[in-house]
Amino acid sequence: MARKFPRSFDRFRGASRPVHPGEAPGTLQTAPDATRTTIRFFGFSPETGDENVEERSVTAPEEIPELRKKWPASWVHVSGLGDLDTLSKLGEIFQLHRLALEDVLNSSQRPKIEEFDDILFLVARYNSWRDRLHSEQISLFLGENFVLSFQESENDAFDGARQRLRKGKGRIRSSADYLAYALLDSIVDHNFPLLETYGDRLEALEEESLNSWDEDTMAQIYKVKRDLAAIRRTVWPLRDVFQPLLRGDVDYFKEDTLPFLRDCSDHVLQVIDLIEHYREIATELVNVYMSGLSNRMNDVMRLLTLIATIFIPLGFIAGLYGMNFDAKTSPWNMPELSWRFGYPLVLGLMSAMALGMVLYFRKKGWLGKPNHKHKSVEDRLNR
Amino acid sequence: MARKFPRSFDRFRGASRPVHPGEAPGTLQTAPDATRTTIRFFGFSPETGDENVEERSVTAPEEIPELRKKWPASWVHVSGLGDLDTLSKLGEIFQLHRLALEDVLNSSQRPKIEEFDDILFLVARYNSWRDRLHSEQISLFLGENFVLSFQESENDAFDGARQRLRKGKGRIRSSADYLAYALLDSIVDHNFPLLETYGDRLEALEEESLNSWDEDTMAQIYKVKRDLAAIRRTVWPLRDVFQPLLRGDVDYFKEDTLPFLRDCSDHVLQVIDLIEHYREIATELVNVYMSGLSNRMNDVMRLLTLIATIFIPLGFIAGLYGMNFDAKTSPWNMPELSWRFGYPLVLGLMSAMALGMVLYFRKKGWLGKPNHKHKSVEDRLNR
Amino acid sequence: MARKFPRSFDRFRGASRPVHPGEAPGTLQTAPDATRTTIRFFGFSPETGDENVEERSVTAPEEIPELRKKWPASWVHVSGLGDLDTLSKLGEIFQLHRLALEDVLNSSQRPKIEEFDDILFLVARYNSWRDRLHSEQISLFLGENFVLSFQESENDAFDGARQRLRKGKGRIRSSADYLAYALLDSIVDHNFPLLETYGDRLEALEEESLNSWDEDTMAQIYKVKRDLAAIRRTVWPLRDVFQPLLRGDVDYFKEDTLPFLRDCSDHVLQVIDLIEHYREIATELVNVYMSGLSNRMNDVMRLLTLIATIFIPLGFIAGLYGMNFDAKTSPWNMPELSWRFGYPLVLGLMSAMALGMVLYFRKKGWLGKPNHKHKSVEDRLNR
Amino acid sequence: MARKFPRSFDRFRGASRPVHPGEAPGTLQTAPDATRTTIRFFGFSPETGDENVEERSVTAPEEIPELRKKWPASWVHVSGLGDLDTLSKLGEIFQLHRLALEDVLNSSQRPKIEEFDDILFLVARYNSWRDRLHSEQISLFLGENFVLSFQESENDAFDGARQRLRKGKGRIRSSADYLAYALLDSIVDHNFPLLETYGDRLEALEEESLNSWDEDTMAQIYKVKRDLAAIRRTVWPLRDVFQPLLRGDVDYFKEDTLPFLRDCSDHVLQVIDLIEHYREIATELVNVYMSGLSNRMNDVMRLLTLIATIFIPLGFIAGLYGMNFDAKTSPWNMPELSWRFGYPLVLGLMSAMALGMVLYFRKKGWLGKPNHKHKSVEDRLNR
Amino acid sequence: MARKFPRSFDRFRGASRPVHPGEAPGTLQTAPDATRTTIRFFGFSPETGDENVEERSVTAPEEIPELRKKWPASWVHVSGLGDLDTLSKLGEIFQLHRLALEDVLNSSQRPKIEEFDDILFLVARYNSWRDRLHSEQISLFLGENFVLSFQESENDAFDGARQRLRKGKGRIRSSADYLAYALLDSIVDHNFPLLETYGDRLEALEEESLNSWDEDTMAQIYKVKRDLAAIRRTVWPLRDVFQPLLRGDVDYFKEDTLPFLRDCSDHVLQVIDLIEHYREIATELVNVYMSGLSNRMNDVMRLLTLIATIFIPLGFIAGLYGMNFDAKTSPWNMPELSWRFGYPLVLGLMSAMALGMVLYFRKKGWLGKPNHKHKSVEDRLNR
């Protein structure tokens, strides 16, 4: 049964990493649930126009060197990591370091940047919402005149970039390093609409925490926090990825791409800011919800106490006069029972007691709280 | 329905940023709710006197170069980001980098500082209270002899500075960089009266938390914390903005403006200190409120327990003598009922039991707590 | 009514700062509640003996240059910031920067250190207890051969230093920079007896939290935490004040005064340590208090449950035999009522039920907790 | 009895360290429960093939120098730290610093790196699950052409590495420093499957916290957090171990082993990330569990209140008419009793009261919560 | 009464520091409760053998210079800070800075390191358990060929070192700086057995928190946390003490003592790690205890609800048939009372209601929780 659980933080605990401690590093293994590998080639030159771009799907990696020769810059996008042979061949063709290729396949890497000879290796994570939070690893290799990108699934993270490449709008065809930036930027920016949905959810939860105290509210808040923590794990290390790029420690990016990278780095900071802001709000909502729970318990207890403290003593008095003491045996035995106004007197006494209790409650401020159930949130916050 | 919610943290989650991941950077787009663009030109020279300042509203950006030539220093203030054409033209006239212009329009930037060729680009956020916390982006460009400022709304953040410019009081007409400082200082200082209102509210909430435990108190504390967190997000990055300025890494500010910038940076630290202080106080108030809730629950429970433990046993005894055992059938069947002093005896027993209970409660310290509802807060804190 | 509240964190939120955003910097304004300005002059030379020190009160600032000429070193102490004219004149005489003078008057500065030409400007805060926590700003200017100090109130922070100066004991007359150190040290050390009182209060609160759970305990703990946070805000920035002094970045202090500054810096760290320690203890006390509340609630609930679970079923049985079924109509109608031993049997049954319940409670461990109200705290902690 | 407790954090508090303060450093002592020492020698040269590797168990340490001469590189693995003589001899043979040897024996070291003359000394901790979390110290000495490793128990941390050494697959036979890396990597990677089990447990606890609120849930969460904290203590300092290696401050590792070390360092970061992620989730689960408890309490209280508020007043009315006022004495004494429709009227009144109460409860939203016990977690999270 | 409180955090709040703000620095004052001063002299040379060490108690400090001349290295240990004259003379003989001597006497210093001319001044704190946590200051002066140590009480922190010095075992007689290291190491290592006792206590508290929920448990956890915080305060600053020593910024320690210092610094980190680990565990135990409290409250409430919801309705029905409606007056008045099977029918109805309630409770899962009081902790944690 535990297996049927939506393992929403599964993806983030390296479940797909078939780690065998003590195994040789650089051992290539596909994840059991990896999808079929497909390769898509883009060759392009800076000029606009359809004749300056070529897009085709590649079945045999061996074709790639030939294709690359035709174009000043090219982009090879590989989606699906299921075909070990193809991936190995790609590794050979692009002369990728074995450890880098292993990282591509073990798709639970944290974002990082590494240099291998002439190739810059970047790992980032593309977060999206498919029924539940989904995070997949995207590996980018940036060489002299090519970008090689790997993505776990078919799910297209780079659709926008591809459109721009086809149309040749803007600088996107200018060089391989600018394309690498554009892909990175696309990954980072996908977090904005994703976070937007969490913002919407938090808003709904705020409404709920302040008003309805549904039992699931806590589970919902918990889920949002868990997801935000997961997203943060994928974005936070990007800060360290951009540092050496912006400091100019690595020269894979040309001088005039740097302002764009800086812009992208700003977006990373914005994403992190947003996540932290949401996390704080979610933490506060837990407090709000808990105090709502306590308040409601208080309401229930107050009613119970009100009723019980009024009627239990009255019940006792009624019981008193229900005792079967024999008035005939002794004049001491409940003479009230045969008084002319005994009954009205007792009723009066009872009413007085009930009234006293109600007054005591009012004085304590335990009464007269109007039912604020339908008060709008605006009123309550802006009073 | 969720849409009617006062989206008070909306503004801070980039809702107005129409992010389309994968879109080309530098793509200019106005926010859907952007207001009409108006331009106001100030030309001035350091001397006092009305003849040394010119203020006029500009309809066509093309007039600006001509106007600027007449004055040693000028300030162009643009409010409203709705008119894309005008803004593009301004970008061309002042030779602004496309990414900077994009940042001006995407009004959810975090405060930052950037250099583009000869122009220093500063982003800050101006917080004000308009029914709810409102934060808008202000973008400043500081060039050789001009300041160009963009503000989202008509809401005038720079009224004080403009007055001083008109009157020529102080150093404000001395140079463009001093004016830039004055604008920045104005943005930072607007946080003080804003925080003052939050201080007032916290004071009221302190009173409430200690005394009345209104159900909305928690919502109020929550709102203050949320707003303080939002303000902090807009002020915190300013620290990093001032760092390079004060270290002298950028030379847009003259030597004798630096003490003023340092003063402004001090104000930023003061604002942050204040925010942190308030946040801590708000966090404490949650505890105070929660313990007040528990205390009140305790009070209610104590009363319930007092009444129930006294009267339930008494009621049982009364019930006992209400049983219809037939005294005639057997002398064992409740002979008390026909005793001469049976009834007074039973009443005495009951009184003794009630008294015993009350004494037990007193010993436990569950009684005799005076009603401290009207005790003043001063007495309670300073006893 | 909110106005009558003891605004104990008022002072710390810059309430006395009449901030007008957009106002020209260096605008001098006295706080509305500023007290009358008095000036006290000390001239001294390193030798001991009464002839080597002159102390006099100064009414016109213009006398000061003349007085200063007579002595190798001098100290001008200004208390009360109400007299704008006098203060402006002082500023001119000592050639203070306008921004520094503004900081003197805006008495909500955080501690800081600044250099203006040949004058070192130090801001510190002097905390004392006057019915409630009181923090006032002290501004020190250290020049070649003079110390100029400003204090908000008459309340004398420097009494000890003044005594030593008069008696000429120790090094205090040796130079102006040593005097500046002595004043700073005096400000820092005043925190020790202040914190001592908070220590005493925490001790009392510890006793209370563990034993009596007074409703005000939480308010008291809250107040201590709030005050400690306020004190911390005034001491924490002093660390950054001492850094450049100890690193030797500024040369206003002579080589042989440095060990004394280092000693003073150690005291700052001790104060901070103490504050942090107290804050942690106070935070723990909240937990202790809350668990005490829960425990007490548990006690109350246990008693209620004990009484209710014993007597409600018994009451039901009594009620059963109080039903008026007519035994004569049918032999099925409560024949027990006319049994010879019906009544004793029922009483026996009831006793058995009550006993069973008590035994069940004992097994659950809900009984027999002795009243530990008067157990001493020592016993409880050191068992 | 306390002794029978599974001292699961025992191992981590240095219980096995027989510290005698004031004792001379470098005093060698075996832990009381240390196991018998066994030594295993591996000699190897880079070529593949069985003739290029020798594996044998060594009984007398004196044989080792002879064996080492035969091979370009060798690995001596010592398991069990019970035999002080043997260990001292090993120390002499490899010329280990006395302090290093003391650290080997005091098996509660935190991971660290130290240089002694030509030998690099590394301490790491190997975590595994044997009924409970078990952490043991592994000490590695890396010299010119040898690796010397010490392990507390027989429990084999290096099985995978040994297999690879025997088969000669990959680079493992290439040099001593690569072997040292491989051993380190093996220690680090063993944390992944271990953490996997904690991930599984957290998943089960998530299910439990959201649904069943078993009383042991809290104890379980507590245990997971305690263990995660313990694992973190053993992994966190590894970051500082890798720093000098990757910065190239020490030259024990050859240039082409560095990418592998960087890979291993990445794994350390991944482990830490995972631990932090799990710890946050566990902390959240505490909140979820606590709110679940409160919710359940609320449910119970609501039922109690519902029943009590409906039936206590009704019971009072019934009691009223059970009073023995003598209708014959006075017409005021409960004339209802002899009305024709008195009884139906009273029943009707009671029904009306009960209905009123139920309606009030429904209005308050205290009724009609369906039993969500069997709602699946997926539904609740993804609604 | 507050005075009788075991002021267990007294010692740590500088109570013994008779601070008079504004007093001249370097003013020597003994604490009011300081003990009598005794001096013990050790002279030694590196060779082993009894003739190479001299140990004697010194009454007049004036003898010391003579004694020191006879030996290449010497150690003067002063215990008890009550005799101001003796201490002043020692200060003169060893030419100690007045501020350092003041620090020796003000025994609430935080650990620190300072250089005065040729003398290194170290302050550390020796923690021990004497009925309650006791921390005393130990001041060490290390000069060319001597160590001078001051300790507040007679309580011997250096017994082990003294034994080794007498026996001449190991390097302890080699030089003054090694002796200083040995003393420091002894102070640090004394924390291990101390923390061991806190570990034992935490273990007992873990058992208690999970099982018995004694009311004192919270007070106990609180005390452990308070003490751990106090110990941390005394150990944490030691990190900063070791930094300059290990970086080689000060050359009081010879090259071959450095590995030992590094070892000692490692121990400091281990102590801090242990403290943090314990603090985290203690924090968790608070949660466990609080949830235990809630659980117990739930148990009590469930029983109350069970009994009340079953018997209150039954009691009402019994009360119904106890009403004195006169069946003779009207056939509508409770005809059941004279039915043949009226009584059994009513009993049946009641049983059915009770059964229904029990079934409802079982469905809700509020029944059938077995009494897990005696379940062992192992079972609960390792299920």
Side-chain angles (χ1 to χ4, degrees), chain D residues 180-354:
Chain D
Y181 146 73
L183 299 183
L184 212 51
D185 191 52
S186 169
I187 295 168
V188 170
D189 280 3
H190 267 106
N191 287 305
F192 283 109
L194 180 62
L195 285 173
E196 185 83 353
T197 67
Y198 283 98
D200 285 336
R201 215 183 280 198
L202 275 177
E203 222 169 62
L205 285 169
E206 187 182 57
E207 175 86 16
E208 232 170 80
S209 299
L210 287 167
N211 270 332
S212 78
W213 308 303
D214 181 349
E215 203 160 325
D216 288 346
T217 307
M218 192 67 203
Q220 294 283 326
I221 298 174
Y222 162 69
K223 207 201 158 192
V224 169
K225 289 190 83 175
R226 200 183 59 184
D227 281 5
L228 288 173
I231 298 175
R232 194 184 49 164
R233 276 183 68 214
T234 67
V235 181
W236 192 263
L238 278 176
R239 291 163 22 128
D240 301 330
V241 167
F242 277 101
Q243 293 252 330
L245 296 178
L246 294 180
R247 269 201 316 263
D249 290 2
V250 289
D251 53 358
Y252 297 88
F253 286 94
K254 291 183 193 133
E255 193 59 37
D256 51 340
T257 312
L258 285 187
F260 294 93
L261 275 181
R262 204 165 53 194
D263 190 64
C264 186
S265 164
D266 277 355
H267 290 193
V268 168
L269 295 185
Q270 265 178 281
V271 169
I272 291 171
D273 262 25
L274 220 51
I275 293 171
E276 291 311 319
H277 192 52
Y278 285 178
R279 275 164 59 91
E280 280 178 27
I281 284 175
T283 302
E284 291 307 318
L285 286 184
V286 171
N287 277 336
V288 170
Y289 175 74
M290 292 301 256
S291 87
L293 267 190
S294 285
N295 262 321
R296 197 163 55 152
M297 184 98 98
N298 259 349
D299 278 4
V300 171
M301 292 305 299
R302 266 206 332 259
L303 179 65
L304 175 59
T305 304
L306 180 73
I307 297 292
T309 51
I310 289 176
F311 285 102
I312 289 180
L314 298 189
F316 161 68
I317 293 175
L320 216 58
Y321 291 101
M323 295 194 300
N324 296 322
F325 279 96
D326 197 348
K328 287 167 231 149
T329 323
S330 152
W332 290 99
N333 283 355
M334 301 205 284
E336 309 89 299
L337 290 180
S338 41
W339 290 357
R340 186 173 173 86
F341 294 105
Y343 180 58
L345 267 174
V346 167
L347 284 188
L349 173 69
M350 285 172 169
S351 307
M353 281 177 65

Side-chain angles (χ1 to χ4, degrees), chain B residues 131-272:
Chain B
D131 290 335
R132 55 190 183 80
L133 178 60
H134 180 89
S135 163
E136 73 185 287
Q137 176 177 327
I138 289 182
S139 317
L140 290 178
F141 292 88
L142 168 61
E144 186 66 36
N145 57 1
F146 72 91
V147 173
L148 171 61
S149 59
F150 292 89
Q151 184 174 4
E152 281 181 70
S153 75
E154 296 280 349
N155 182 26
D156 204 345
F158 298 140
D159 203 47
R162 196 170 294 131
Q163 302 286 353
R164 280 155 57 205
L165 199 56
R166 281 177 199 138
K167 294 188 190 142
K169 254 177 62 180
R171 291 162 157 257
I172 196 155
R173 286 196 199 160
S174 65
S175 62
D177 69 305
Y178 186 91
L179 180 66
Y181 146 74
L183 299 182
L184 210 52
D185 191 52
S186 171
I187 295 167
V188 171
D189 279 4
H190 266 107
N191 287 305
F192 284 109
L194 180 63
L195 285 172
E196 185 85 352
T197 68
Y198 284 99
D200 285 336
R201 212 183 283 200
L202 275 178
E203 222 168 60
L205 286 170
E206 186 182 58
E207 175 87 14
E208 231 171 80
S209 299
L210 288 168
N211 269 334
S212 78
W213 308 303
D214 181 350
E215 204 161 324
D216 288 347
T217 307
M218 192 67 203
Q220 294 284 326
I221 298 175
Y222 163 69
K223 206 202 158 194
V224 170
K225 289 191 84 174
R226 201 184 58 184
D227 282 5
L228 288 173
I231 299 175
R232 195 185 46 164
R233 275 183 69 215
T234 68
V235 181
W236 192 262
L238 278 177
R239 290 165 21 128
D240 301 330
V241 167
F242 278 102
Q243 292 251 330
L245 296 178
L246 294 179
R247 269 202 317 262
D249 290 3
V250 290
D251 52 359
Y252 297 87
F253 288 92
K254 293 185 192 131
E255 193 60 35
D256 52 339
T257 312
L258 284 187
F260 293 93
L261 276 182
R262 203 165 53 194
D263 191 63
C264 188
S265 163
D266 276 355
H267 289 193
V268 169
L269 294 185
Q270 263 177 281
V271 169
I272 291 172

Side-chain angles (χ1 to χ4, degrees), chain A residues 276-277 280-281 284, chain B residues 195 198 202 221-222 224-233 236 271-286, chain C residues 229:
Chain A
E276 291 310 319
H277 192 52
E280 279 178 27
I281 284 174
E284 291 307 318
Chain B
L195 285 172
Y198 284 99
L202 275 178
I221 298 175
Y222 163 69
V224 170
K225 289 191 84 174
R226 201 184 58 184
D227 282 5
L228 288 173
I231 299 175
R232 195 185 46 164
R233 275 183 69 215
W236 192 262
V271 169
I272 291 172
D273 262 25
L274 221 50
I275 293 172
E276 291 309 318
H277 192 52
Y278 285 178
R279 277 164 58 90
E280 280 179 26
I281 283 174
T283 301
E284 291 306 318
L285 287 183
V286 172

Side-chain angles (χ1 to χ4, degrees), chain E residues 72-303:
Chain E
S74 52
W75 171 27
V76 178
H77 179 67
V78 183
S79 65
L81 305 175
D83 195 344
L84 203 55
D85 266 7
T86 312
L87 296 169
S88 301
K89 276 185 210 152
L90 276 169
E92 282 161 34
I93 289 165
F94 286 93
Q95 294 183 294
L96 309 179
H97 195 282
R98 228 172 155 67
L99 282 174
L101 208 53
E102 193 196 6
D103 284 348
V104 167
L105 287 169
N106 280 340
S107 54
S108 58
Q109 302 299 315
R110 66 200 302 267
K112 64 175 175 180
I113 185 167
E114 267 177 84
E115 283 183 86
F116 290 104
D117 306 312
D118 297 343
I119 295 177
L120 188 72
F121 174 46
L122 284 161
V123 175
R125 299 196 72 87
Y126 162 58
N127 300 314
S128 58
W129 182 263
R130 302 186 220 164
D131 291 336
R132 55 190 183 80
L133 178 60
H134 180 91
S135 163
E136 72 185 287
Q137 176 178 327
I138 289 182
S139 316
L140 289 180
F141 292 89
L142 168 61
E144 184 67 37
N145 56 2
F146 73 90
V147 173
L148 172 61
S149 59
F150 292 88
Q151 184 174 4
E152 282 183 70
S153 75
E154 296 280 348
N155 184 25
D156 204 346
F158 298 141
D159 203 48
R162 197 171 293 130
Q163 302 287 352
R164 279 155 59 204
L165 199 57
R166 281 178 199 137
K167 293 189 191 142
K169 257 177 58 180
R171 289 161 156 260
I172 197 156
R173 286 194 199 160
S174 65
S175 62
D177 69 303
Y178 187 90
L179 179 67
Y181 145 72
L183 299 183
L184 211 51
D185 191 53
S186 170
I187 295 167
V188 170
D189 280 2
H190 266 107
N191 287 306
F192 283 109
L194 180 63
L195 286 172
E196 185 84 353
T197 67
Y198 284 98
D200 285 336
R201 214 183 282 197
L202 276 177
E203 222 168 61
L205 285 169
E206 187 182 57
E207 173 88 14
E208 233 170 78
S209 299
L210 288 168
N211 269 332
S212 77
W213 307 303
D214 181 350
E215 204 161 322
D216 289 347
T217 306
M218 193 66 203
Q220 294 283 326
I221 298 174
Y222 162 68
K223 206 202 159 192
V224 168
K225 288 191 85 176
R226 201 183 59 184
D227 281 5
L228 288 173
I231 298 176
R232 193 184 50 164
R233 276 183 69 215
T234 67
V235 180
W236 191 262
L238 278 176
R239 291 165 20 129
D240 301 330
V241 168
F242 277 101
Q243 292 251 330
L245 296 178
L246 294 180
R247 270 201 316 263
D249 290 2
V250 290
D251 53 358
Y252 297 88
F253 287 92
K254 292 184 192 132
E255 192 59 38
D256 50 341
T257 313
L258 284 187
F260 293 94
L261 276 181
R262 202 166 53 195
D263 189 65
C264 187
S265 164
D266 277 355
H267 290 192
V268 169
L269 294 185
Q270 265 177 281
V271 168
I272 291 171
D273 262 24
L274 220 50
I275 293 171
E276 291 310 318
H277 192 52
Y278 285 179
R279 275 165 58 91
E280 281 179 27
I281 284 175
T283 301
E284 291 307 318
L285 287 184
V286 172
N287 278 336
V288 170
Y289 175 74
M290 293 301 255
S291 87
L293 267 190
S294 286
N295 262 320
R296 198 162 55 154
M297 184 98 99
N298 258 349
D299 278 4
V300 171
M301 293 305 299
R302 267 207 330 259
L303 179 65

